[in-house]
Amino acid sequence: MADAAGMTITDLQAMLAEVFAPWVQELSLQVEAVRPAEVDLLLPVAPRHVHGGGVVCGQTLMAASDTAMVLAVSNQLGGFRPMTTVQLQSSFLRPIAGTDTHARIVARVLRMGKNLAFGEIEVLDAQGRLATHSTTTYALL
C-alpha cells in the first residue's frame, strides 16, 4: 500500500538497508504498514535488546522510534531527504518484557514545515499496550 507521496512498504524497507548505520540495521526492523504521514514498524525482540532487568532497554526503543520517524518523514516527503533529529523526548510508560516476541512502533508526522518536521511515536508491546510515547522534531537539511 502506498500513500499519496508514492512510498511503499518495499521502498521504506529498502531505505532501512540503504540509509541507516549498520548497528541500526541490526535492530531488524520490518515495515508493516504505510499510510499518509504514518508508518508502522515491527521490532523483533532479541536477547541483545534486553538488559539485566529482563526488559527491552530504553536505548533500543529510542533508536527504533527515531528510525521509524525518519521513515515517516521520508514517506511524507515522497523519498529520503537528509535530516537530523533536533529533539526526541520519550516517556517510558510500561516495560516490554524480554520474553515478548516483538514491539510495534507507530510513527506519525504531526506537522511538516519547510525546514522542520514534528511527530510522535508510540511503541506498543506484543499485547498492543502503550509502552513508550515520544515526541520529536527534525530539521530538514
Side-chain angles (χ1 to χ4, degrees):
M1 178 164 82
D3 78 345
M7 299 294 289
T8 65
I9 289 173
T10 302
D11 295 333
L12 293 171
Q13 194 67 48
M15 192 179 300
L16 280 169
E18 296 165 5
V19 174
F20 294 93
W23 71 269
V24 175
Q25 294 173 17
E26 290 175 10
L27 292 172
S28 300
L29 294 165
Q30 297 296 312
V31 180
E32 293 285 306
V34 56
R35 295 173 295 283
E38 188 171 313
V39 299
D40 293 4
L41 302 180
L42 196 67
L43 168 68
V45 174
R48 68 180 176 268
H49 302 140
V50 179
H51 65 57
V55 298
V56 176
C57 67
Q59 295 92 334
T60 294
L61 298 175
M62 289 185 77
S65 295
D66 193 49
T67 302
M69 198 66 215
V70 170
L71 293 179
V73 170
S74 295
N75 177 45
Q76 184 78 11
L77 294 171
F80 178 73
R81 176 175 163 189
M83 64 188 83
T84 188
T85 308
V86 173
Q87 175 268 337
L88 175 62
Q89 180 175 333
S90 297
S91 297
F92 299 94
L93 307 172
R94 129 185 352 268
I96 296 179
T99 57
D100 274 8
T101 57
H102 68 275
R104 180 167 305 281
I105 298 105
V106 179
R108 292 179 197 90
V109 176
L110 299 176
R111 183 178 187 283
M112 181 70 73
K114 182 178 177 182
N115 299 310
L116 294 174
F118 302 88
E120 73 173 347
I121 306 109
E122 294 178 343
V123 179
L124 309 169
D125 66 12
Q127 293 75 42
R129 299 174 298 188
L130 183 62
T132 305
H133 179 264
S134 301
T135 58
T136 190
T137 306
Y138 287 81
L140 306 174
L141 304 177

